[in-house]
Amino acid sequence: MTDTLPPRGCQAAEPAEDGYFRKGCNPLAETGRSKLQNQRAALNQQILKAVRMRAGAENLLRATTNNKVREQVLLELSFVNSDLQILKEELEGLNISVEVYQNTEETFSIPLVPLGLKETKEVDFTLPLKDFILEHYSEDSSEYEDEIADLMDLRQACRTPSRDEAGIEMLISYFLQLGYVENRFFPPTRHMGVLFTWYDSFTGVPVCQQNLLLEKASILFNIGALYTQIGTRCNRQTQTGLENAVDAFQRAAGVLSYLKETFTHTPSYDMSPAMLNVLVKMMLAQAQECVFEQIGLPGIRNEFFTLVKMTQEVAKVGEIYMLVNTAMNQEPVKENIPYSWSKLAQIKSDHYKALAHYFIATVLCDHELQSGDDEDQQEKALSQLYDYMPEGLKVLTVLKDKVQRKQLGKAHLRKAIVYHEEALRVCGLCKKLRNIDVLQEVLTAAHKRSLLKYAQQETEDDFLSLIQAPDILPKTEHKIETIAPQFSKVKVKDFFHRLGPLTVFSAKQRWTAPRTIRIHYEAGELGFSLKGGSPVQIYCLDPACAAASMGLKEGDYIVSVGSVDCKWLGVNEVLEKFKSVGEQPIEIEVISCQDTAASMHNKSATYSVGMQKTYSLICLAMEEDKIDQTKKAPLKLPFLSWGTKNRQKAASTLCLPSAVAGSSQIKKKLSPFALLNTESSLY
């Protein structure tokens, strides 16, 4: 359950639905899901320790020339790599613990695969943001302690979101809030000193960066992962439950696809384009599987055209899972995708292909062409199932000839039995899948049904059993597509709204400290005009007026009038405040925009020179003036090489400070109002 808390920095007058956010689940609750997350967090810490040990050993190996020391270090590396392999297998076991995320109702359906949430460490925004408010905005940072606390509370709640729409809304709220935070406090010219640490959901290896884009990308991944958990949680024995499951998996695919297209070069394997591409395919396959279950939920009538339709629908599910299995076994995702996931995709592909052959066999064996049947329609429907017919057979002849119908029907049954047996064999080879009872029950029941159907057919001459069943053309009337994330439906208010309009008061702009100007009416005139929206600007300043002599400049922004904040006021409202004081002098505070042209701080958060273009744990870089263009860095070992066979290629996932050739480019920051069409990169 979730509770609502009023943010400490919000004004009491604000509507509750605009100012409140939800707390996350109790992380100490003794639920299966929380236990699984705690185990994953503990494994992450062990993997981090082992990775650091390997990094130290590899650095020593490169530094020493003593053969005896090298032999000892190589031995130590073999032990560490073995330990990492064991930890990786344990993490894979947690990733396939699908029972925790399934619906609690008794069901007779093949389990669906959810994604686990990425884990993160706590982040303290207090000092960096307070220092930036004081330095950049020249305001009393102590007045913004409540807003900073609200931001940190929201982030903490996002670590344990509830598995429902409220949890999704909370994660999206934080993601949108990060858009404001990025524009307010993260200038393109330097790092803020806030270190974000996120653990890879497949390997457990942490990624640490002073880059807010890592935070935003990880939150997006968790939004997609939470959708998958909602989808697997749905009751697939009801029409509504299946509709919700289809919608959840489509939305999960949409979020992951958006993450792949928007945040390129993410420094974590679980968010790499290749891995996200596989995950999107897997979510769409699970949505298509739920669509098939939805069609068959009321029961499949033993009728010619109904069975032909179901044959093509289920063949489509089998084809999609075959493509998913192929993608899972391609480099570079093959090494990090859970073994049991690829085997489950293979099992589902074989299982649904077997069902397709069983359905068409039922059509051929149980439905003879009657005098009142529409012969042309049946011929057309059956011909659309095949790309080709076995030699010597024609569709119309098969429909009319009882012997040929039964021959082709038995050929399909034999092929169905072969697929069923292959699915059972693969399931028996995988320890994790072998222990999922409902999976074994579904596969066994389908296999027995095909065997029984085959036994019911009359015994034919062996020579007539040589017909090979043709492949079935997959087709669906319910094509599944991704649903793009709809961030605009979640309304959030900028926690730091009091700093002023974001279009002006952002980290990209540089300002002078506020200056106090005493304004006197001279013959009923101010000596200047006002223009613009919020805040207003000085326009057409008379250089001879008293205000100009006190330091007022053309283009200055008025931030307060008579100690009243007016950053959000328009021209008419500011003029009203001037008129309200009559002929009395009034003090205003103004700021001037400074030159914002500055070179980007030369740091790279992802790659260092000489490294292969792979993902790393922490990569630090030197200043540009310290770069040695002629120095060549040693070759590096591929990231997370768990085995020992690549040991000779040397290097660590924990990269030490090294020179970086070239300078990094200024990043184009995301606006919270243009989140759906901006491409960003985690460099």
Side-chain angles (χ1 to χ4, degrees), residues 577-591:
K577 291 195 174 295
F578 280 135
K579 293 177 182 178
S580 65
V581 299
E583 299 295 329
Q584 298 296 322
I586 185 172
E587 291 185 348
I588 66 172
E589 285 191 344
V590 297
I591 57 175

Side-chain angles (χ1 to χ4, degrees), residues 508-578:
K508 296 178 182 178
Q509 303 284 354
R510 297 180 62 211
W511 306 99
T512 61
R515 308 189 310 279
T516 301
I517 307 295
R518 192 174 181 86
I519 302 295
H520 296 271
Y521 277 94
E522 298 176 355
E525 296 292 335
L526 292 171
F528 57 86
S529 300
L530 301 178
K531 71 171 184 177
S534 304
V536 297
Q537 276 185 287
I538 302 298
Y539 176 65
C540 293
L541 176 65
D542 183 358
C545 70
S549 64
M550 294 187 66
L552 191 64
K553 300 177 182 177
E554 182 88 10
D556 281 353
Y557 287 90
I558 300 178
V559 295
S560 70
V561 176
S563 73
V564 177
D565 189 293
C566 62
K567 297 189 192 77
W568 287 96
L569 301 183
V571 172
N572 293 334
E573 294 166 306
V574 173
L575 287 176
E576 285 296 326
K577 291 195 174 295
F578 280 135

Side-chain angles (χ1 to χ4, degrees), residues 168-239:
I168 294 291
E169 184 177 337
M170 182 175 64
L171 288 175
I172 293 178
S173 298
Y174 180 58
F175 177 74
L176 295 177
Q177 197 66 237
L178 287 175
Y180 290 115
V181 171
E182 181 180 24
N183 282 281
R184 294 279 191 197
F185 301 109
F186 286 78
T189 55
R190 62 185 177 93
H191 290 302
M192 282 292 294
V194 181
L195 186 65
F196 301 99
T197 302
W198 285 87
Y199 293 90
D200 191 294
S201 61
F202 294 114
T203 65
V205 172
V207 175
C208 308
Q209 287 193 349
Q210 295 183 36
N211 194 335
L212 194 66
L213 293 181
L214 173 63
E215 180 91 346
K216 296 175 75 173
S218 299
I219 290 296
L220 271 180
F221 183 92
N222 277 1
I223 293 173
L226 196 56
Y227 269 126
T228 69
Q229 294 181 15
I230 292 173
T232 56
R233 187 73 170 175
C234 293
N235 185 357
R236 291 156 64 196
Q237 303 304 309
T238 66
Q239 196 74 16

Side-chain angles (χ1 to χ4, degrees), residues 402-419:
K402 180 179 179 181
V403 175
Q404 288 191 6
R405 280 178 79 110
K406 190 158 291 188
Q407 290 174 9
L408 187 57
K410 289 189 71 174
H412 280 292
L413 282 174
R414 285 195 298 273
K415 203 160 188 178
I417 292 170
V418 169
Y419 276 126

Side-chain angles (χ1 to χ4, degrees), residues 286-502:
Q286 295 189 141
Q288 192 74 54
E289 182 181 3
C290 291
V291 166
F292 167 70
E293 292 179 354
Q294 191 177 352
I295 298 171
L297 185 63
I300 302 173
R301 291 187 301 121
N302 193 354
E303 188 266 330
F304 185 92
F305 293 104
T306 300
L307 288 174
V308 169
K309 176 184 174 183
M310 295 303 293
T311 297
Q312 290 193 295
E313 287 284 350
V314 74
K316 185 65 176 180
V317 180
E319 179 194 48
I320 293 175
Y321 271 114
M322 180 186 69
L323 296 176
V324 171
N325 180 49
T326 301
M328 286 181 173
N329 286 282
Q330 299 294 323
E331 296 293 346
V333 300
K334 181 179 179 180
E335 296 300 322
N336 292 308
I337 204 81
Y339 173 77
S340 47
W341 285 12
S342 63
K343 290 305 171 187
L344 183 60
Q346 182 180 347
I347 289 169
K348 288 189 176 187
S349 176
D350 291 334
H351 172 70
Y352 288 116
K353 286 179 181 178
L355 287 184
H357 285 284
Y358 174 79
F359 286 146
I360 193 58
T362 304
V363 169
L364 294 170
C365 295
D366 294 357
H367 297 278
E368 295 183 6
L369 188 64
Q370 304 296 329
S371 57
D373 293 337
D374 190 333
E375 181 180 302
D376 293 337
Q377 287 296 325
Q378 287 198 10
E379 180 185 6
K380 180 180 178 181
L382 196 61
S383 62
Q384 289 177 347
L385 284 176
Y386 302 122
D387 191 19
Y388 69 93
M389 287 291 289
E391 187 177 354
L393 295 182
K394 294 183 178 180
V395 173
L396 185 58
T397 307
V398 169
L399 286 173
K400 293 181 177 180
D401 192 317
K402 180 179 179 181
V403 175
Q404 288 191 6
R405 280 178 79 110
K406 190 158 291 188
Q407 290 174 9
L408 187 57
K410 289 189 71 174
H412 280 292
L413 282 174
R414 285 195 298 273
K415 203 160 188 178
I417 292 170
V418 169
Y419 276 126
H420 281 310
E421 290 175 348
E422 178 64 14
L424 285 167
R425 184 189 71 83
V426 175
C427 186
L429 291 176
C430 182
K431 180 181 177 181
K432 304 295 182 183
L433 300 179
R434 197 166 58 235
N435 294 331
I436 301 178
D437 294 336
V438 67
L439 177 60
Q440 291 279 1
E441 292 172 7
V442 171
L443 297 179
T444 303
H447 182 224
K448 288 181 178 179
R449 183 175 57 190
S450 294
L451 287 174
L452 180 61
K453 188 74 175 178
Y454 188 79
Q456 290 174 350
Q457 307 307 311
E458 296 178 5
T459 305
E460 302 288 345
D461 192 338
D462 291 340
F463 289 105
L464 300 179
S465 301
L466 298 178
I467 297 177
Q468 292 294 322
D471 292 331
I472 297 170
L473 294 177
K475 181 184 177 182
T476 180
E477 297 178 0
H478 308 272
K479 186 177 180 181
I480 296 299
E481 296 180 346
T482 61
I483 298 179
Q486 298 173 325
F487 298 121
S488 59
K489 288 189 175 182
V490 179
K491 303 300 181 183
V492 297
K493 181 180 178 181
D494 181 9
F495 283 155
F496 300 92
H497 177 268
R498 289 192 292 135
L499 287 173
L502 190 59

Side-chain angles (χ1 to χ4, degrees), residues 16-139:
E17 60 269 17
D18 291 337
Y20 286 19
F21 57 83
R22 293 187 175 273
K23 293 170 59 180
C25 296
N26 179 9
L28 302 179
E30 289 298 313
T31 63
R33 179 167 169 255
S34 64
K35 289 178 180 177
L36 196 64
Q37 289 294 107
N38 289 336
Q39 292 174 26
R40 184 178 284 114
L43 270 178
N44 289 338
Q45 295 298 325
Q46 295 179 51
I47 290 174
L48 174 59
K49 181 179 178 181
V51 166
R52 285 174 173 170
M53 290 178 62
R54 187 173 72 175
E58 290 171 346
N59 289 336
L60 179 59
L61 186 65
R62 287 194 297 269
T64 185
T65 56
N66 188 308
N67 290 333
K68 200 167 186 179
V69 173
R70 290 179 65 85
E71 290 178 5
Q72 192 167 358
V73 171
L74 286 173
L75 181 62
E76 181 66 25
L77 274 174
S78 67
F79 282 116
V80 172
N81 282 328
S82 299
D83 189 31
L84 278 172
Q85 183 64 35
I86 294 172
L87 292 173
K88 180 189 176 186
E89 291 174 358
E90 290 184 27
L91 188 62
E92 179 185 323
L94 296 182
N95 285 332
I96 196 55
S97 299
V98 294
E99 298 92 342
V100 174
Y101 300 97
Q102 304 301 314
N103 186 267
T104 53
E105 303 288 337
E106 284 195 16
T107 180
F108 194 68
S109 303
I110 298 179
L112 300 171
V113 176
L115 297 176
L117 300 182
K118 288 173 69 69
E119 297 284 347
T120 183
K121 287 185 177 181
E122 292 187 7
V123 172
D124 190 351
F125 289 104
T126 307
L127 288 178
L129 296 195
K130 289 180 71 174
D131 289 347
F132 194 80
I133 290 172
L134 180 62
E135 170 200 339
H136 187 80
Y137 294 103
S138 301
E139 294 199 26

